[in-house]
Amino acid sequence: MLACSGPSTVVFDPRLTEYDFGVGHPMSPVRVDLTMRLAQELGVVNGAGGAGGAGGLRQVPAPIAPDDLLLTVHEPVLLEAVQDAGRRVRPRLDVGLGTDDNPVFAGMHEAGAHVVGATVEACRQVWSGESLHSANITGGLHHAMPDRVSGFCVYNDIAVGIRTLLDQGAERVAYVDIDVHHGDGVEKIFWDDPRVLTISLHETGQILFPGTGFPNDLGGAGAEGSAVNVALPPGTSDAGWLRAFHAVVGPLLREFAPQVLISQHGCDSHADDPLAHLMLSVDGQRAAHEALHDLAHEVADGRWVALGGGGYELVSVVPRSWTHLLACVAGTPLDVQTATPGAWQEHVQRLLGQVAPRRMTDGVTPAYRDWAEGYDPDTWLDRAVQATRVAAFPLHGLDPQAW
């Protein structure tokens, strides 16, 4: 990973764990608690009550976004419905609330606005120059639409964060989404805006929710090429995923030259995730975090906002993957052979009755074959990557047949 200098932060408040759809829901806030505990005990984060060392990320408070900020992206009807549902704890199916994916919980408006506020603060940190990098692991709620909730996402913190950057004068913002699910909400909100480049690598919508995100989905009139989608086959592992990432993301970011890079790091691409079918390891995800860090330095003078997202293997995957992410944000990546602290392992055992992983690795060395070494049309993965390059690259003045 490239060396970097400059202050970096994580935006966090323990009350962010109040974004909680209830017992049995896949997106349990325990994943956030376990991540922050692990990061603090390993010295990656200097948080209140943590054991972070002098080199760890500075933790800054997370404000709650006011309604007028939410309304820069969302329709008034959505805010009114979420507020009503959260007060009365009753379904509002007209906006998608009350389904198995999106059950109603008390105070959901405030909880959702808190996540948005944290992401907006991370964007402010970076755009103002107070931080070179800033993270919000509770963010990344990429499915929320202007007028409805979707896929565990009440409000779209990413889109509000991008909107604030544009409103503050940013002319080019790049968004890279590596969650296993297509980043449909962010893409839709900026579909017609050529100032925002959205790139999503995800399991194909032929197989997985939300059923969208195909190579020919390229953006609206006047913004052709502003949306880029890599629809990966089920079973894609580290080697194929990293091959696809480097064949698409780097060339586009270099050409677009964003002033800020925002990335969403859903870790539900892991082989053990219960909701999807990709086969990445924690080590492969760590390689992706490092690659995005380095691209931020290469194309955006280091200005990088890193967000969480999906991830539903709550003990062995999310805490380790996101702790590696936070270490990359800090500019001090962890050795993969680092042992997880005994106190953290004991906490997992007491809280969940589970055996925690002993090391920060899955024991895999992620490697991939570079696209420059040749394209194999007999493989689904290479056909998927080439379809994206053929559709999107010419719209950016790039040759899809060249490296």
Side-chain angles (χ1 to χ4, degrees), residues 26-268:
M27 200 161 95
S28 169
V30 73
R31 67 194 191 132
V32 173
D33 171 71
L34 293 181
T35 298
M36 292 303 293
R37 284 176 180 269
L38 180 59
Q40 289 170 359
E41 291 184 22
L42 286 174
V44 172
V45 169
N46 292 324
L57 286 172
R58 180 169 62 93
Q59 184 174 314
V60 299
I64 297 176
D67 289 0
D68 61 349
L69 195 55
L70 299 174
L71 290 168
T72 62
V73 162
H74 292 291
E75 299 294 336
V77 65
L78 177 63
L79 268 66
E80 293 164 4
V82 172
Q83 291 166 341
D84 175 70
R87 283 193 300 265
R88 301 171 183 265
V89 193
R90 68 176 186 181
R92 285 294 303 266
L93 295 175
D94 54 319
V95 300
L97 281 171
T99 64
D100 288 344
D101 278 359
N102 307 300
V104 173
F105 62 92
M108 66 189 315
H109 168 75
E110 292 76 14
H114 203 173
V115 173
V116 174
T119 291
V120 169
E121 173 60 17
C123 291
R124 190 198 67 79
Q125 288 274 329
V126 169
W127 186 247
S128 69
E130 290 182 37
S131 297
L132 185 63
H133 313 324
S134 191
N136 170 26
I137 61 166
T138 68
L141 304 180
H142 58 171
H143 294 307
M145 295 291 177
D147 59 353
R148 61 184 173 86
V149 303
S150 177
F152 313 162
C153 304
V154 176
Y155 298 132
N156 198 313
D157 63 291
I158 308 160
V160 178
I162 293 172
R163 182 74 73 202
T164 63
L165 289 170
L166 298 174
D167 289 346
Q168 291 165 14
E171 297 174 348
R172 295 177 311 283
V173 178
Y175 169 67
V176 178
D177 188 317
I178 63 172
D179 194 287
V180 79
H181 301 93
H182 175 224
D184 58 337
V186 184
E187 178 184 276
K188 179 179 177 62
I189 289 163
F190 296 106
W191 184 254
D192 297 313
D193 195 332
R195 299 173 297 173
V196 181
L197 172 65
T198 66
I199 306 174
S200 180
L201 292 89
H202 48 268
E203 184 176 349
T204 175
Q206 293 174 294
I207 305 293
L208 195 65
F209 175 90
T212 53
F214 296 100
N216 290 319
D217 298 328
L218 294 163
E224 296 89 347
S226 64
V228 178
N229 289 287
V230 186
L232 298 167
T236 299
S237 60
D238 293 340
W241 193 97
L242 290 167
R243 176 170 165 78
F245 177 94
H246 288 286
V248 171
V249 177
L252 288 169
L253 290 183
R254 293 181 188 108
E255 184 63 29
F256 186 69
Q259 294 162 295
V260 183
L261 174 63
I262 299 179
S263 52
Q264 196 264 26
H265 296 256
C267 49
D268 39 9

